[in-house]
Amino acid sequence: RVNLVESGGGSVQVGGSITLSCDASGDTISNGCMGWFRRQASGKEPEGIVVFDRDDVPQYTDAVKGRFTVSKDNAKNTMSLEMSSLRPEDTGVYYCANRPYRDGNCVLNQWYFDYWGQGTQVTVSS
């Protein structure tokens, strides 16, 4: 089992930047799929932002391509999400998630992941 803790959220102005961190404990993140999700409004389904595929190549959703950059440090068991050119619609609670490797590739879908952090709030305002 992987335990995940996100940090780094806060308030930022439109066009600004912020970096989120995901610290893992328990099992190593190199043994599974890792991804970032966000919930933009209460009661709304989490939206997939980026997932590392089985070749460890990040796959981004179109809404954040060119603005967000994910990185992963397997030795430190951490993952980061650098977010720039932020927009009001980027506001939400951001989660990191893990799924131990099984068959198939890693999929950017909330139902695919087994373990989740508690989330960190990002608020983008003008």
Side-chain angles (χ1 to χ4, degrees), residues 7-52:
S7 62
S11 296
V12 61
Q13 290 192 321
V14 171
S17 301
I18 197 168
T19 298
L20 307 182
S21 296
C22 173
D23 294 329
S25 60
D27 200 0
T28 174
I29 61 174
S30 61
N31 289 341
C33 304
M34 290 292 296
W36 282 98
F37 291 77
R38 67 184 176 194
R39 190 189 300 273
Q40 292 172 296
S42 178
K44 198 174 177 181
E45 294 291 327
E47 171 194 17
I49 298 172
V50 60
V51 64
F52 281 96

Side-chain angles (χ1 to χ4, degrees), residues 7-108:
S7 62
S11 296
V12 61
Q13 290 192 321
V14 171
S17 301
I18 197 168
T19 298
L20 307 182
S21 296
C22 173
D23 294 329
S25 60
D27 200 0
T28 174
I29 61 174
S30 61
N31 289 341
C33 304
M34 290 292 296
W36 282 98
F37 291 77
R38 67 184 176 194
R39 190 189 300 273
Q40 292 172 296
S42 178
K44 198 174 177 181
E45 294 291 327
E47 171 194 17
I49 298 172
V50 60
V51 64
F52 281 96
D53 65 21
R54 290 296 292 263
D55 294 322
D56 245 7
V57 175
Q59 304 296 327
Y60 297 90
T61 190
D62 287 345
V64 306
K65 280 181 182 176
R67 301 189 299 122
F68 290 12
T69 302
V70 67
S71 59
K72 187 159 63 82
D73 188 330
N74 291 335
K76 294 183 178 178
N77 230 21
T78 61
M79 181 173 65
S80 296
L81 184 67
E82 297 178 47
M83 304 159 60
S84 62
S85 301
L86 284 164
R87 306 166 180 168
E89 56 265 36
D90 294 319
T91 294
V93 180
Y94 284 71
Y95 302 88
C96 59
N98 170 271
R99 170 189 167 101
Y101 284 141
R102 296 196 271 277
D103 56 342
N105 206 343
C106 300
V107 178
L108 190 56

Side-chain angles (χ1 to χ4, degrees), residues 37 39 45-48 107-114 116:
F37 291 77
R39 190 189 300 273
E45 294 291 327
E47 171 194 17
V107 178
L108 190 56
N109 183 299
Q110 60 158 329
W111 303 110
Y112 183 83
F113 285 81
D114 298 313
W116 295 77

